[in-house]
Amino acid sequence: MVRHELSNIETSQDMGWLLKILEKNGAKIAKNRMLRNAGLSIAEKWLLKNNSKRKQTEKSQPPGVADDRLSMSLAILNSVRRAFNEYKLSDATLDKVINILLKDLFLEKGSRVQKSIEFRKEHGFNTPGFLVISPSKACNLRCVGCYADSDEKVQTLDWDVVDKIVSDARELWGTQFIVISGGEPMAYKSQGKTILDLVENNPDTFFMMYTNGTLIDDEAAERMAKLGNIIPAISLEGWREKTDARRGEGVFDQAMAAMDRLFQAGVLCGVSLTATRHNAEEILSDSFIEFLFEEKHVVIGWIFQYMPIGRSYTLDLMPTPNQRLEMWRQSWKIIREERSFLADFWNHGTVVDGCLSAGGHDNGGYFYIEWNGNVTPCVFVPYSPVNVNDIYSNNGNLNDIYTDPFFSDIRNWQKNGTDGNLLMPCLIRDHNEDLRKFIRKHEANPIDKSAEVAIMDGDYAKDIDQYAKDYHALSDEVWEKQYLKKS
């Protein structure tokens, strides 16, 4: 019956009918290779035709932006196809991917949409699409230039608070996607609980965890397989030499072993690549990307360009403006030609309308909550006007974060304060002068000593402003030619 219904869908106008079929028969389709691939092919045809229509009717959107969004959507579809076809997913992972990532987040959307509508009526803007939480600063590694300045000191957010944040985000905002960062998430312990206990305690939420991978043993991999609602993203700096140079001898091999364990257990695995001046070409080389996505079965990749904050911050590790532009070219080549889901927050602002910090704009953004409870606009903006512990002790909730004027000003800036070039979306690196004004105006507190020193460092401000000016000169030509399609 399902096969017959799918066979009758021939045009992109029938996408609504496909969604109805998926709502009723999602599990059956996902588990059947033929039905699954038929559904994905229909979705791809719909994306292609809908993109062509949108470019004709939405004159306000630069044509190159529409092309980027289509390419990323096709890469996501391909990742879904690879996840089902290449992995022998554990039963729990298959169930959670279908019922949280596909069904709740993309198909039914009932509860989430209703909560978002109610929130928008009350506050005038959308709920965030996700939260990033670093529940512990503790880490077993000492990486050079760590943004979190992580060490062996056990600074943790209490288990009760972390669990309440996740449940409140789901109940208040309908948020069912939580990103866990650190420190090292697998090193988190509070009240006898670990990160995997948090995942188990919130079965209707899907988690992604940035991890160095060294603490993922057979037992941890098997438990993730039984839980099903977590995808680890393993952090790398490139091949063995570059990774071990920053993270410590033997870390690359431990990370590779973790990837193998996760694949064998039927757990989806991602990768997180930190781009610096010394490895920008290597991490985006065809050979390295092919190794990760083909040999190591990675289904999703994130690129984090080094940010000059945290331990021993320095602008000397940042990719140069020319390297950054080359990373833009190479990353989109990989996305378009290989259809690999590889997202770079600094080079792919076209996909999400720029900056996602401080709760974001209409496409849904995020807040960051760290181990002391400080809430900041972004992982890489270490200045906070409010603490979640204080909010909860005063019988408040996560909605109180939104009301802070520091975050409101940033959201208004996202809509009206940039020059329109979405190749320069970053508040801390591309528009640091604006960020400094917001910090001083609202007296946002630095969350650590490094952040305090940075905001007072005149040379730092001068150098990062010059970096932005240099990249602006390079990217403006690309923006006008590739995105605005000006000859």
Side-chain angles (χ1 to χ4, degrees):
M1 178 64 181
V2 176
R3 185 177 301 177
H4 175 70
E5 290 177 320
L6 284 174
S7 66
N8 288 333
I9 300 177
E10 297 179 353
T11 67
S12 61
Q13 288 91 338
D14 289 317
M15 188 62 181
W17 179 239
L18 173 62
L19 296 181
K20 291 179 181 178
I21 294 175
L22 291 174
E23 285 183 27
K24 293 187 297 182
N25 305 283
K28 183 181 293 186
I29 293 174
K31 293 178 180 180
N32 184 296
R33 189 185 185 100
M34 182 180 296
L35 296 179
R36 182 172 65 238
N37 288 337
L40 289 169
S41 295
I42 292 165
E44 180 175 324
K45 291 178 182 177
W46 180 86
L47 282 171
L48 291 167
K49 192 163 186 176
N50 194 54
N51 180 69
S52 178
K53 285 185 177 181
R54 186 181 295 114
K55 288 171 71 173
Q56 294 174 10
T57 59
E58 295 182 10
K59 301 301 182 182
S60 61
Q61 185 184 82
V65 170
D67 292 338
D68 279 2
R69 292 180 179 177
L70 171 64
S71 296
M72 190 64 80
S73 297
L74 292 173
I76 292 172
L77 270 184
N78 190 48
S79 289
V80 173
R81 180 184 288 111
R82 288 183 58 244
F84 283 116
N85 289 352
E86 295 181 16
Y87 273 77
K88 185 178 180 181
L89 296 176
S90 69
D91 290 341
T93 299
L94 183 62
D95 175 69
K96 298 298 183 182
V97 167
I98 293 169
N99 290 302
I100 300 179
L101 289 185
L102 296 182
K103 192 174 181 182
D104 287 345
L105 294 186
F106 295 111
L107 300 179
E108 292 180 345
K109 296 184 178 180
S111 175
R112 289 197 317 113
V113 168
Q114 187 58 40
K115 291 179 187 298
S116 182
I117 291 173
E118 294 170 0
F119 186 90
R120 189 173 184 88
K121 285 181 180 178
E122 181 178 353
H123 298 278
F125 38 83
N126 288 343
T127 59
F130 61 103
L131 280 179
V132 180
I133 309 172
S134 287
S136 178
K137 188 179 181 181
C139 185
N140 59 320
L141 302 183
R142 303 291 175 270
C143 302
V144 176
C146 174
Y147 82 89
D149 194 17
S150 297
D151 52 32
E152 73 281 356
K153 296 176 183 177
V154 183
Q155 292 177 255
T156 61
L157 202 57
D158 286 345
W159 159 263
D160 292 340
V161 175
V162 178
D163 192 49
K164 182 173 175 56
I165 290 170
V166 175
S167 60
D168 279 0
R170 186 172 59 250
E171 295 304 316
L172 293 172
W173 300 336
T175 300
Q176 291 178 273
F177 187 65
I178 300 291
V179 177
I180 303 295
S181 188
E184 167 54 45
M186 293 295 290
Y188 174 76
K189 291 181 181 178
S190 174
Q191 300 173 16
K193 302 290 187 179
T194 68
I195 281 300
L196 296 186
D197 291 319
L198 179 71
V199 175
E200 183 174 6
N201 207 46
N202 294 274
D204 295 326
T205 298
F206 208 93
F207 294 83
M208 186 176 72
M209 171 178 70
Y210 293 120
T211 171
N212 59 46
T214 62
L215 301 180
I216 299 178
D217 55 17
D218 290 336
E219 182 181 355
E222 289 298 330
R223 188 175 181 193
M224 290 181 204
K226 290 178 181 178
L227 293 172
N229 55 327
I230 183 170
I231 175 170
I234 310 293
S235 299
L236 298 170
E237 261 65 41
W239 296 106
R240 180 181 291 103
E241 181 181 356
K242 290 287 195 304
T243 296
D244 286 1
R246 187 181 185 213
R247 296 182 173 271
E249 186 176 354
V251 170
F252 179 83
D253 289 338
Q254 292 180 66
M256 295 301 103
M259 288 182 170
D260 292 340
R261 289 190 186 99
L262 293 168
F263 179 71
Q264 291 163 8
V267 179
L268 293 172
C269 180
V271 68
S272 170
L273 305 173
T274 304
T276 71
R277 190 165 301 187
H278 306 303
N279 73 347
E281 293 79 15
E282 181 171 308
I283 62 171
L284 281 168
S285 65
D286 292 338
S287 59
F288 188 61
I289 295 299
E290 182 179 350
F291 168 75
L292 293 175
F293 281 83
E294 299 300 328
E295 292 188 36
K296 290 299 174 180
H297 310 287
V298 164
V299 294
I300 183 171
W302 305 101
I303 298 175
F304 292 93
Q305 297 186 32
Y306 172 80
M307 297 293 283
I309 60 169
R311 178 161 55 234
S312 302
Y313 66 83
T314 172
L315 274 67
D316 293 338
L317 280 177
M318 293 170 62
T320 67
N322 282 306
Q323 282 180 313
R324 180 174 171 183
L325 189 60
E326 185 56 36
M327 288 175 63
W328 168 81
R329 292 191 180 99
Q330 177 65 1
S331 62
W332 279 114
K333 172 180 174 288
I334 291 168
I335 293 166
R336 291 190 168 96
E337 294 182 5
E338 305 301 326
R339 290 196 178 178
S340 297
F341 185 8
L342 184 67
D344 178 339
F345 291 101
W346 292 265
N347 277 336
H348 299 162
T350 51
V351 178
V352 291
D353 284 333
C355 177
L356 291 176
S357 68
H361 37 69
D362 290 341
N363 275 347
Y366 79 102
F367 287 102
Y368 173 59
I369 304 175
E370 51 93 85
W371 43 85
N372 288 318
N374 294 309
V375 185
T376 74
C378 167
V379 172
F380 302 108
V381 180
Y383 303 94
S384 172
V386 64
N387 189 290
V388 73
N389 291 313
D390 296 335
I391 288 176
Y392 284 153
S393 65
N394 291 321
N395 297 317
N397 59 43
L398 295 184
N399 284 345
D400 296 318
I401 294 172
Y402 266 110
T403 63
D404 192 277
F406 179 55
F407 297 134
S408 297
D409 264 8
I410 291 175
R411 288 193 296 271
N412 289 331
W413 171 86
Q414 290 167 347
K415 288 185 176 181
N416 308 305
T418 67
D419 61 3
N421 181 350
L422 292 178
L423 299 182
M424 295 188 65
C426 183
L427 183 58
I428 193 170
R429 190 166 69 172
D430 299 326
H431 305 276
N432 196 269
E433 184 177 359
D434 291 327
L435 174 61
R436 297 194 299 270
K437 291 177 182 177
F438 294 145
I439 292 171
R440 293 185 174 115
K441 175 183 177 182
H442 300 291
E443 299 181 345
N445 298 314
I447 66 172
D448 55 32
K449 187 65 177 178
S450 297
E452 182 181 355
V453 171
I455 197 64
M456 301 298 293
D457 188 341
D459 289 336
Y460 173 89
K462 179 182 176 182
D463 290 346
I464 203 166
D465 287 348
Q466 184 62 49
Y467 179 95
K469 182 178 179 181
D470 292 343
Y471 189 66
H472 200 290
L474 287 175
S475 64
D476 259 5
E477 182 179 353
V478 174
W479 176 251
E480 291 188 2
K481 189 174 182 179
Q482 298 289 342
Y483 290 93
L484 302 183
K485 303 295 184 182
K486 292 182 178 181
S487 59

